[in-house]
Amino acid sequence: EQVRRAFRTVDAEGAGFIQITSLCEVLVILDILEKVGEDNVLRLATHLEEDGSGIIIWDKFWATVSRL
């Protein structure tokens, strides 16, 4: 539930996705940016990005972040 709330904080319209540029903001809210490591954020963003669209879909975000 904590991860869902953090994602929704950035996805204020409830569209089910966030801009890739907002990834750091969500990781800071979850207090896991340090665990991921700033060097790995770009790699994570590339992994999470939906087909080069510049967005991150909730389901893919959850599937990845829930393993951290």
Side-chain angles (χ1 to χ4, degrees), residues 9-60:
T9 297
V10 177
D11 176 24
E13 295 178 16
F17 66 87
I18 59 171
Q19 297 296 317
I20 197 167
T21 55
S22 299
L23 178 60
C24 279
E25 184 178 350
V26 177
L27 297 177
V28 166
I29 293 168
L30 291 170
D31 197 27
I32 61 172
L33 181 59
E34 192 172 304
K35 181 177 183 176
V36 170
E38 290 188 35
D39 296 338
N40 292 322
V41 171
L42 181 58
R43 190 177 344 195
L44 179 61
T46 302
H47 170 75
L48 292 172
E49 185 177 15
E50 193 66 28
D51 299 323
S53 63
I55 63 171
I56 297 171
I57 306 268
W58 160 251
D59 292 336
K60 194 169 186 179

